[in-house]
Amino acid sequence: MPKITFIEHNGTHHEVQVAVGLSVMEAARDNNVPGIEADCGGACACSTCHVYVDTSWNEKLPVKDAMEEDMLDFAWEPSELSRLTCQIRVTEDLDGLIVRMPEKQI
Ligand code: FES
């Protein structure tokens, strides 16, 4: 199973094994990783599953669609590295993925 590392804003690391097909948000939720609130349950309607992902992963990540781009406008301190974890399906290619949480979710 792919391994994903979540890094909280305070630097705390959480490494979790994730079944292919789950979303990165579900991986955090199922492993009690703090900092990903996912208020809308994964419907791309809240932005509280916001993280930063290094651009070196861009080729392996699904392309950001217009809805995700729009929702990220409501996230806390979005940047060009911002993604919504509910919109990223875990594949074998994402083994080793590192995502960093913002200071807070809004
Ligand atoms: S869980 Fe609401 S946008 Fe991702």
Side-chain angles (χ1 to χ4, degrees):
M1 284 199 285
K3 183 186 81 181
I4 297 179
T5 301
F6 295 87
I7 304 177
E8 293 183 62
H9 192 71
N10 67 11
T12 304
H13 285 51
H14 303 267
E15 280 186 11
V16 301
Q17 302 281 336
V18 187
V20 167
L22 287 179
S23 71
V24 174
M25 176 277 281
E26 290 168 324
R29 182 198 61 198
D30 294 354
N31 288 281
N32 299 314
V33 175
I36 301 221
E37 296 170 11
D39 289 344
C40 76
C44 198
C46 73
S47 85
T48 63
C49 65
H50 171 216
V51 297
Y52 304 107
V53 185
D54 191 85
T55 52
S56 61
W57 286 95
N58 281 357
E59 281 184 16
K60 294 181 176 174
L61 293 174
V63 173
K64 226 184 285 183
D65 65 16
M67 199 157 89
E68 184 178 353
E69 289 276 12
D70 287 349
M71 283 315 303
L72 280 168
D73 289 342
F74 299 98
W76 177 257
E77 296 186 344
S79 80
E80 70 278 2
L81 304 181
S82 293
R83 293 298 309 252
L84 293 178
T85 51
C86 69
Q87 300 304 299
I88 303 173
R89 284 277 149 217
V90 175
T91 64
E92 292 291 352
D93 280 350
L94 293 186
D95 184 37
L97 179 69
I98 298 171
V99 302
R100 296 173 191 277
M101 263 86 101
E103 185 178 2
K104 59 183 175 179
Q105 303 284 3
I106 55 172

